[in-house]
Amino acid sequence: MSDQDPQLAAAAEIRARIDTSKPHSARFWNYFVGGKDNYEVDREIGDHIKEIFPGLVDVARTSRQFLGRAVRHLAGEQGIRQFLDIGTGLPTADNTHEVAQSVAPDSRIVYVDNDPMVLAHARALLTSTPEGETAYIDADFYEPEAILKAAASTLDFSKPVALMILNTLGHVADYDQARALVARLMAGLPSGSYLVISDSTATSEGMIAASNAYNESGAVPYYVRSVEEIAGFFDGLELAEPGVVQVTEWRPESGVSVVDAYGGVGRKP
């Protein structure tokens, strides 16, 4: 048996797990940010939602830009060299490791997702600088302690870590459960660690209608929350200025503005 046979078998197993009959949030979002890793079913619901609420495309793209600004702030101004990115999604441009390692080449990044298509792309595309390290964990957000245990093989939990949870928490229908999951992850990180969250919000009729249409498509539902609920994830943390705001207003670099996506960065005392 050749050395490549196990790799081919693993790739075949991943392909077998990919369901192309229903939309998927990672592929749907990939379509909105201009990626190519999506299927017709994702593009169909994407086009349908753009008719209902064209602003969701701006939400997707500006949320991605928020990620870049937050990572540059943490790596460049706060000296963070470790990032735990949960709900990775499909790799596009300016992924967490690319931004962090462009500022600090020795940055170490662990990506976490449990989607087979994301897994396949991550292993191929999420590479690292020689000085740093990038790893991928196939794990479930509902098992935070298992995530932390697996990440410990790459990250040093005696030093601060930035926990990134972007456009992911809406998959947890129960708000109290979502807050508990975030709290359990932060509990495993040392003082001086950071939490970065952004998510779509129920701040307009258009966004609510778009969310309802997506949830009726057969995809795994995604629930938009109030701004107050997004802010609640940061309870007990020290919010970086300007707090929990529209993603385009968090240390803005352009005049673009969106209403229905909020985010923030908080430090664990």
Side-chain angles (χ1 to χ4, degrees), residues 145 148 157-159 161 182-190 193 268:
E145 288 77 20
L148 294 170
F157 286 135
S158 70
K159 299 177 181 179
V161 175
V182 173
R184 286 161 63 186
L185 287 163
M186 289 302 296
L189 305 182
S193 293
K268 182 176 179 178

Side-chain angles (χ1 to χ4, degrees), residues 36-268:
K36 298 179 180 178
D37 298 311
N38 47 74
Y39 293 98
E40 183 63 27
V41 67
D42 307 301
R43 295 188 288 273
E44 285 178 357
I45 186 61
D47 290 339
H48 175 57
I49 287 177
K50 280 193 285 186
E51 292 177 0
I52 297 172
F53 181 51
L56 192 58
V57 175
D58 292 329
V59 167
R61 292 175 178 172
T62 56
S63 295
R64 191 72 179 181
Q65 293 162 4
F66 164 78
L67 178 154
R69 295 196 304 278
V71 171
R72 284 194 296 273
H73 166 70
L74 293 174
E77 299 179 35
Q78 304 304 322
I80 297 298
R81 295 294 180 267
Q82 303 188 107
F83 295 82
L84 179 58
D85 188 331
I86 296 181
T88 302
L90 287 162
T92 54
D94 297 328
N95 301 291
T96 297
H97 75 286
E98 292 172 323
V99 178
Q101 291 181 346
S102 71
V103 176
D106 59 336
S107 295
R108 304 169 76 85
I109 297 88
V110 172
Y111 290 103
V112 182
D113 211 301
N114 67 345
D115 177 75
M117 188 168 178
V118 173
L119 172 62
H121 285 75
R123 286 178 170 166
L125 300 176
L126 299 181
T127 56
S128 174
T129 59
E131 304 93 328
E133 185 172 351
T134 301
Y136 182 91
I137 298 173
D138 185 5
D140 193 327
F141 183 49
Y142 291 91
E143 299 176 354
E145 288 77 20
I147 289 173
L148 294 170
K149 182 178 180 180
S153 62
T154 302
L155 305 178
D156 179 356
F157 286 135
S158 70
K159 299 177 181 179
V161 175
L163 173 63
M164 316 284 296
I165 313 178
L166 283 79
N167 304 102
T168 297
L169 288 165
H171 281 307
V172 184
D174 184 83
Y175 177 61
D176 289 338
Q177 183 181 24
R179 284 191 58 164
L181 290 169
V182 173
R184 286 161 63 186
L185 287 163
M186 289 302 296
L189 305 182
S191 175
S193 293
Y194 285 84
L195 173 65
V196 182
I197 286 176
S198 72
D199 223 327
S200 303
T201 49
T203 39
S204 75
E205 292 183 2
M207 175 57 83
I208 294 170
S211 176
N212 291 338
Y214 180 79
N215 291 346
E216 292 168 359
S217 70
V220 176
Y222 201 95
Y223 303 95
V224 291
R225 297 193 161 100
S226 68
V227 177
E228 292 75 20
E229 287 174 319
I230 301 300
F233 290 116
F234 294 94
D235 281 357
L237 305 180
E238 301 166 350
L239 278 170
E241 292 294 334
V244 177
V245 296
Q246 295 167 10
V247 291
T248 49
E249 299 305 311
W250 198 90
R251 306 189 178 219
E253 296 176 349
S254 71
V256 176
S257 180
V258 300
V259 174
D260 302 306
Y262 277 69
V265 175
R267 181 182 183 275
K268 182 176 179 178

